[in-house]
Amino acid sequence: MQNQKVASILNRVADYLEMDGPDFRTKAYRRAAHTIETLSVDIADIKKQGKLEELPGIGKHIHAKIEEILDTGSLEYLENLKKEFPLDLDALMSVEGLGPKKIKLLYQELGIKNLDDLEKEAKRHHIRRLKGMGAKTEAKILQNLEFARKSTGRQLLGEVLPLSSLIKQRISALDLVEQVEIAGSIRRRKETVGDIDVLTVTQHPDEVMDFFNRMDLVEEVIVKGHSKSTVRLFNGMDADIRVFKEDDFGSAMVYFTGSRELNISLRKIAISQGMKLNEYGVFHDEKRLAGKTEVDVFQALGMDYIPPELRENTGEIEAAQEGKLPLLVDYGDIKGDLHIHTNWSDGKSSIMEMALEASQRDYEYLAITDHTCIPVARGMDENRLIKQMGEIDRVNHELEDITLLKGAEVNLDSYGNLDMPRDLLEELDIVIAAVHSDLRQDPEKMNERILRALENDYVDILAHPTGRKLKERKPYQLNIENLFSKARETETILEINSQPKRLDLKDMHVKMAVEYGCQLSVSTDSHHTHDLSFMELGVATARRGWAEKKDIVNTFSLKKLLKLIS
Ligand code: DGT
Ligand code: CA
Ligand code: CA
């Protein structure tokens, strides 16, 4: 599948075109990219069948571009744009407040190509002199630069996970490997990923390396060896592949899953017991005690198997030694999604389409929670919400194996009040409160605003509680302890939002919230049927936060859930 690669090239073209401001062309490229990204079939197969033209919303012009990418692996048009603007677009775009248009201005006027240039020019106060910039913008850029620095080079788990699965799938489809797994931060489901680590067992290392290095996803081979290769992929991300013997695979998996911090502690434990631990096994003198499976390795070290999501050296080793690891919520435990949008607000799919997709996932229930009022997200007014309730009744009547709940994602005004009248809130099964306006409020006011929302009896769930966006926006400056104790006191559910950019609450906060005894939901905030699959990312975050099934309300049966929120 080259879908992701094609989509990423088209998106990149849109970025460059947007340097002259967004217009119909940038929209067309983004729409095409989105269509391809979300296809469930291989775009190359569609081309082979001569059916490219049947893809919705893609014009002739872009068809030709897609064909070129599929035929040649790249797009000359994009290569020319890159030559015209030789700058680190990814890094610059990761600075909050900088978009393609400003980046072009900065490049043309000041020759800024990367974050270092940007910092230099901002500190020299050259940026404020540019048209449309000013001292305030300049200060903001400096402020946001540090955040951007930390996030460049890393990509979102939600973007890398499908790519790594694809690589795994392709390698396992070769008849040459006995085992293949993705290790590293991806296996631990860390929210951002530095590189992809592939581990294999094979009798044919050279052929496997050759295959890996020649995949159409590869832009450049960086290291080529017999037992290890490193490549740079089309999206700028590196991928390593390593070959092991079958008998070593468990210890290799432990070692290369990491984290580094966990490895260091495990090695110390081994040494303290007179043993040696490395990627080839656990040894006592020259005798090999374990290595074939991870379970064996942990057992030899005197502890329970630690699920990959917990391997961050934050107490899991001690828990594993004492047999006290949590029984983590499982990916299959989820019985419904409590936060999704439809085309009644800013979603793209209909209520029926979302319901059918949820049903496909074997959910027992699905809450329809479109935006109310806020203009930015095509929020519904009161009349429309009433009308939508009627539509939900109708769909509920039609479908047998899933129950739709009537809900809304209600915006909190600057003081924490809901912008919906009480009698309507009363009618809803589930009310989600969320901050969508006045994000840069004074921290004290923001804290008061959110606590006030928690105190509101109508509010069942607080959505994306800290407001952060990965690689984009820092969280609000909340007093998180106050938030958790108030949520517990008022029995308000805190959301783990599964959008790849949000994952909010984040893992560490989930862990704290669980310790506080808060109730949590894992929801996708879907705006399209295929977003429902983000659930996996949210559950991963819950697991990384040591959450058990009992902590996550949408593992409950409908009956139990309704009792909780009514
Ligand atoms: P990433 O790629 O930055 O998202 O994070 P990881 O955890 O995937 O790190 P990576 O790819 O550098 O290495 C994969 C694993 O290999 C890492 O989690 C632990 C292990 N590892 C690599 N280098 C070292 C090392 O120098 N010391 C120890 N103890 N472990 C290492
Ligand atoms: Ca890695
Ligand atoms: Ca690596």
Side-chain angles (χ1 to χ4, degrees):
M1 290 261 273
Q2 298 199 54
N3 298 19
Q4 224 184 340
K5 176 175 171 178
V6 175
S8 108
I9 290 178
L10 297 178
N11 264 325
R12 182 52 17 128
V13 171
D15 292 337
Y16 280 105
L17 294 177
E18 221 172 290
M19 290 180 161
D20 299 321
D23 61 8
F24 70 95
R25 294 176 310 165
T26 59
K27 267 199 188 148
Y29 273 98
R30 294 226 191 272
R31 194 170 51 227
H34 186 74
T35 304
I36 292 167
E37 208 164 28
T38 52
L39 279 177
S40 48
V41 284
D42 193 338
I43 181 90
D45 287 342
I46 298 185
K47 177 176 172 263
K48 264 184 231 146
Q49 295 157 5
K51 288 187 177 164
L52 269 182
E53 260 114 82
E54 290 171 27
L55 287 175
I58 300 182
K60 264 211 189 87
H61 181 71
I62 297 183
H63 277 145
K65 302 275 191 260
I66 297 171
E67 288 200 25
E68 184 186 333
I69 299 167
L70 290 172
D71 289 341
T72 68
S74 64
L75 182 66
E76 203 183 336
Y77 184 43
L78 176 61
E79 296 310 313
N80 290 335
L81 285 166
K82 280 187 191 164
K83 275 184 212 138
E84 193 182 343
F85 299 98
L87 36 80
D88 190 347
L89 201 53
D90 275 325
L92 292 170
M93 295 232 293
S94 70
V95 179
E96 188 179 352
L98 282 193
K101 213 171 159 178
K102 282 197 180 131
I103 290 171
K104 180 180 175 184
L105 183 73
L106 292 169
Y107 173 67
Q108 288 186 328
E109 298 297 319
L110 301 171
I112 293 175
K113 291 182 176 175
N114 51 42
L115 295 182
D116 288 342
D117 297 345
L118 184 68
E119 181 169 10
K120 216 165 23 181
E121 296 299 322
K123 285 191 169 152
R124 285 184 188 159
H125 299 313
H126 286 168
I127 291 177
R128 63 176 66 182
R129 294 190 213 142
L130 301 180
K131 199 169 152 243
M133 293 291 198
K136 233 171 137 183
T137 316
E138 191 178 74
K140 273 250 169 66
I141 287 177
L142 269 177
Q143 221 176 45
N144 293 334
L145 229 155
E146 187 197 351
F147 183 70
R149 272 238 165 77
K150 267 192 240 151
S151 52
T152 48
R154 303 190 67 78
Q155 297 190 25
L156 302 181
L157 176 66
E159 288 167 3
V160 185
L161 195 54
L163 179 60
S164 64
S165 308
L166 173 65
I167 293 173
K168 177 179 168 179
Q169 195 187 322
R170 285 200 184 169
I171 294 173
S172 49
L174 289 177
D175 274 339
L176 299 169
V177 297
E178 277 111 74
Q179 294 195 65
V180 49
E181 294 295 342
I182 305 296
S185 51
I186 299 176
R187 182 155 181 253
R188 303 198 311 279
R189 298 290 189 264
K190 203 173 143 104
E191 61 191 28
T192 60
V193 172
D195 76 351
I196 301 175
D197 302 283
V198 186
L199 304 189
T200 61
V201 174
T202 177
Q203 312 295 329
H204 313 274
D206 289 332
E207 279 137 292
V208 174
M209 296 287 161
D210 263 356
F211 174 82
F212 184 75
N213 295 340
R214 288 196 194 138
M215 289 185 302
D216 52 15
L217 309 165
V218 171
E219 195 151 292
E220 187 190 345
V221 177
I222 295 175
V223 184
K224 189 175 172 183
H226 295 289
S227 62
K228 186 197 165 187
S229 285
T230 303
V231 295
R232 176 139 319 142
L233 303 175
F234 67 91
N235 59 353
M237 171 150 284
D238 288 357
D240 293 336
I241 188 167
R242 291 180 169 85
V243 175
F244 288 91
K245 292 204 195 76
E246 190 172 5
D247 280 344
D248 303 344
F249 200 61
S251 42
M253 282 292 282
V254 170
Y255 185 86
F256 288 103
T257 297
S259 61
R260 208 166 289 237
E261 292 72 18
L262 177 106
N263 287 349
I264 292 168
S265 289
L266 290 183
R267 198 174 311 145
K268 277 192 195 144
I269 289 172
I271 291 169
S272 76
Q273 299 175 6
M275 298 184 290
K276 192 177 99 186
L277 167 71
N278 59 31
E279 59 265 54
Y280 303 105
V282 186
F283 304 88
H284 189 265
D285 295 332
E286 288 313 298
K287 197 170 167 256
R288 191 186 148 88
L289 303 177
K292 189 162 183 181
T293 72
E294 285 193 311
V295 175
D296 297 345
V297 171
F298 284 114
Q299 196 181 26
L301 296 172
M303 60 186 82
D304 289 346
Y305 171 84
I306 303 175
E309 295 92 332
L310 294 186
R311 300 186 196 172
E312 298 292 347
N313 202 25
T314 57
E316 71 279 11
I317 293 182
E318 294 75 10
Q321 286 171 323
E322 292 165 18
K324 286 186 182 158
L325 282 169
L327 202 62
L328 297 181
V329 56
D330 210 344
Y331 293 93
D333 288 337
I334 299 297
K335 295 218 166 65
D337 202 325
L338 298 179
H339 183 172
I340 69 110
H341 299 267
T342 72
N343 54 9
W344 284 72
S345 66
D346 60 347
K348 299 282 178 288
S349 312
S350 67
I351 295 174
M352 182 57 99
E353 284 165 340
M354 294 304 284
L356 289 174
E357 188 70 26
S359 192
Q360 284 270 311
R361 299 179 70 87
D362 274 336
Y363 285 163
E364 191 185 342
Y365 47 84
L366 176 73
I368 309 294
T369 56
D370 277 303
H371 292 286
T372 58
C373 295
I374 42 165
V376 281
R378 302 202 332 118
M380 302 180 294
D381 61 15
E382 294 163 35
N383 285 332
R384 227 172 123 64
L385 179 58
I386 293 169
K387 241 174 130 179
Q388 190 195 37
M389 290 192 208
E391 173 65 9
I392 293 174
D393 280 334
R394 200 187 65 72
V395 176
N396 254 339
H397 199 73
E398 208 169 307
L399 297 180
E400 270 173 12
D401 48 5
I402 188 159
T403 302
L404 302 185
L405 301 178
K406 292 172 193 158
E409 182 180 11
V410 185
N411 189 36
L412 289 168
D413 74 9
S414 300
Y415 305 97
N417 300 309
L418 301 182
D419 58 4
M420 264 282 140
R422 278 161 183 268
D423 53 336
L424 259 181
L425 293 171
E426 198 88 51
E427 294 268 315
L428 294 170
D429 300 312
I430 190 159
V431 174
I432 300 179
V435 170
H436 281 115
S437 55
D438 207 0
L439 303 179
R440 278 167 232 295
Q441 214 172 14
D442 175 71
E444 202 174 321
K445 292 213 175 98
M446 182 61 93
N447 274 291
E448 280 172 27
R449 176 184 186 182
I450 288 178
L451 293 187
R452 188 172 165 87
L454 297 179
E455 273 165 0
N456 189 316
D457 278 342
Y458 290 107
V459 173
D460 298 303
I461 298 180
L462 178 67
H464 37 77
T466 74
R468 66 118 176 221
K469 285 201 174 164
L470 284 161
K471 304 186 71 167
E472 206 174 294
R473 176 167 98 199
K474 285 187 220 161
Y476 324 127
Q477 293 174 41
L478 295 175
N479 182 329
I480 205 86
E481 281 94 356
N482 280 356
L483 172 73
F484 292 152
S485 58
K486 181 64 81 184
R488 188 197 151 144
E489 176 195 321
T490 58
E491 295 182 350
T492 313
I493 298 159
L494 298 176
E495 179 181 86
I496 300 171
N497 188 293
S498 312
Q499 289 279 320
K501 256 196 187 293
R502 289 196 185 265
L503 299 179
D504 179 11
L505 299 174
K506 66 174 173 181
D507 46 17
M508 269 167 54
H509 284 156
V510 172
K511 198 170 179 205
M512 280 176 74
V514 167
E515 281 161 13
Y516 267 84
C518 297
Q519 281 173 319
L520 303 165
S521 62
V522 183
S523 297
T524 62
D525 199 352
S526 287
H527 287 70
H528 192 287
T529 47
H530 41 244
D531 295 352
L532 286 170
S533 64
F534 293 150
M535 186 58 83
E536 184 188 357
L537 305 173
V539 175
T541 304
R543 288 168 64 87
R544 286 178 57 83
W546 296 51
E548 303 197 340
K549 194 174 168 184
K550 65 169 173 33
D551 302 313
I552 308 293
V553 301
N554 52 317
T555 62
F556 298 174
S557 68
L558 178 62
K559 202 170 140 199
K560 186 167 167 194
L561 176 75
L562 285 177
K563 218 164 119 190
L564 185 78
I565 60 180
S566 63

